[in-house]
Structure formats: C-alpha cells, structure tokens
Amino acid sequence: MGGLDELDEGALLRRIRGGDRLAFQQLYRAYFSRLARFLDRMTRNVPLVEEIINDTMMVVWQKADTFDGSCKLSTWIFAIAYRQGLKALRGLDVPLEPQEDQAGDAAQEPEHAMAARQLQQGVSRALDQLPLEQRMVVSLTYYHGMAYQEIAETMECPVNTVKTRMFHARIKLKDMLSAHREEMQ
C-alpha cells in the first residue's frame, strides 16, 4: 500500500484533520492504485474510475474528523469508495462494457503466455458476470486482501451476508471457469 503502515496513516490523518495538504497528497498517492484496481473491477469503466477516486478522496479530506478509529483507515476509505462507486453507477445511463485485460508477461514461453492470458481473460469475464455485490466480495478478498469483517464494514452489511455472497460467487465462478476450460480444450 505505497509503503504506509497503520501508524503512518494515523499520523497522516491527524495532519489532514488540521488542513495539511501535503499529508493529504501523500495519502492520496498511497491509495490511488489500490482504489483504481478496486473501482475498475467494480465499474469496468476506466474514465469513471479516476472521477470516483477524486470524489472518494474529497470525502476523506472533508470528513477526516469523523473517522473514529472503530475500523482500519483502509476499511473506511474503501467503504467511501464503494458508496461513491455505487452512486456513480446509478448515474450512468449506458450499459457497462467489460474491457480486455492486459496481456501477461511477454518473457514467458509463447504457449504458456497465451494460456495464462486466456485464463486471465476467462477469470475476468467470469468475475464480470457475477452480480455486483458478489464481484465486490471476491475483489476485496482476493485482490485487496481484506478479511470478511473488513468487507462487511466496507459494504455496510453483516459478516454472514459477506460469507453468503462469497459462497454463491465461488459456485458461479467454478461453473463458469469449468465451462471456460472445456471451451479451451
């Protein structure tokens, strides 16, 4: 996460509460790529991602004094991003188009690189087909390393709801990926 630990983040947030713009810029840079990955998976709309990040960080700037420490700062920021993302998606009037992921490592053997790229694209397409809530649970778990409790706080739902969403997402992903594997053979 850009080299910041929770103590550094706490110090930055205290400085941000005091109006320190340099501390805010440091926190923004530390979270930008993590939020971009999360929001790209959520919205599948690259132009919208930076706008949502800016809206998210504006809330962090304006509401820094409301963070009470009852959860990790990262959980609080991701919860804001999740809500801002939902708000942005509701404002869209065009269907979301999945985007092709970038190719894998070119240094690999061509056959392995192609197989890895096909697998990555298959996983990405399968994730895109999941309902939003299931896709977010998978993304927060596997791409952002959050525990179910943190995800529950981020998505403002009970832990059991997170577990249920993950359970159903895994079943759907298993079915879709086994169908993808059969197509590739």
Side-chain angles (χ1 to χ4, degrees):
M1 174 189 34
L4 290 180
D5 62 23
E6 288 184 54
L7 292 175
D8 293 337
E9 288 182 349
L12 281 178
L13 191 63
R14 284 189 292 282
R15 290 173 44 205
I16 291 167
R17 286 177 177 152
D20 186 331
R21 291 182 185 276
L22 291 176
F24 177 72
Q25 288 174 4
Q26 192 174 353
L27 189 70
Y28 184 99
R29 282 192 304 271
Y31 273 87
F32 186 88
S33 63
R34 288 176 70 195
L35 290 173
R37 284 190 307 274
F38 170 67
L39 291 166
D40 180 58
R41 178 63 61 199
M42 181 179 187
T43 66
R44 305 308 284 165
N45 185 324
V46 173
L48 193 58
V49 168
E50 192 165 349
E51 183 181 324
I52 298 169
I53 292 171
N54 288 337
D55 292 345
T56 298
M57 295 308 287
M58 181 58 69
V59 171
V60 170
W61 173 257
Q62 293 171 340
K63 306 272 185 180
D65 58 336
T66 67
F67 177 70
D68 62 6
S70 62
C71 62
K72 289 181 174 180
L73 181 61
S74 61
T75 302
W76 184 65
I77 292 173
F78 271 83
I80 294 168
Y82 178 70
R83 288 190 300 276
Q84 292 293 329
L86 288 176
K87 191 164 84 174
L89 287 174
R90 282 192 296 268
L92 289 179
D93 57 359
V94 293
L96 298 177
E97 295 286 330
Q99 298 168 351
E100 292 300 317
D101 289 337
Q102 297 297 318
D105 184 7
Q108 296 177 336
E109 296 287 325
E111 304 85 38
H112 295 298
M114 179 174 274
R117 188 169 48 253
Q118 288 173 339
L119 177 62
Q120 182 182 23
Q121 289 171 347
V123 169
S124 183
R125 278 193 301 274
L127 282 171
D128 287 343
Q129 292 176 32
L130 291 176
L132 177 65
E133 292 83 8
Q134 292 176 12
R135 190 168 67 236
M136 291 300 87
V137 168
V138 171
S139 176
L140 290 170
T141 300
Y142 294 108
Y143 294 99
H144 298 284
M146 286 191 181
Y148 286 171
Q149 182 62 44
E150 292 175 277
I151 296 169
E153 292 168 8
T154 298
M155 297 180 75
E156 297 178 331
C157 65
V159 173
N160 283 338
T161 301
V162 172
K163 291 177 182 178
T164 301
R165 288 174 179 168
M166 180 61 84
F167 174 79
H168 291 292
R170 285 180 175 151
I171 290 172
K172 289 178 184 174
L173 286 172
K174 181 181 174 190
D175 291 345
M176 287 187 275
L177 291 174
S178 64
H180 173 75
R181 199 168 90 210
E182 289 171 9
E183 288 173 12
M184 300 312 301
Q185 293 176 349

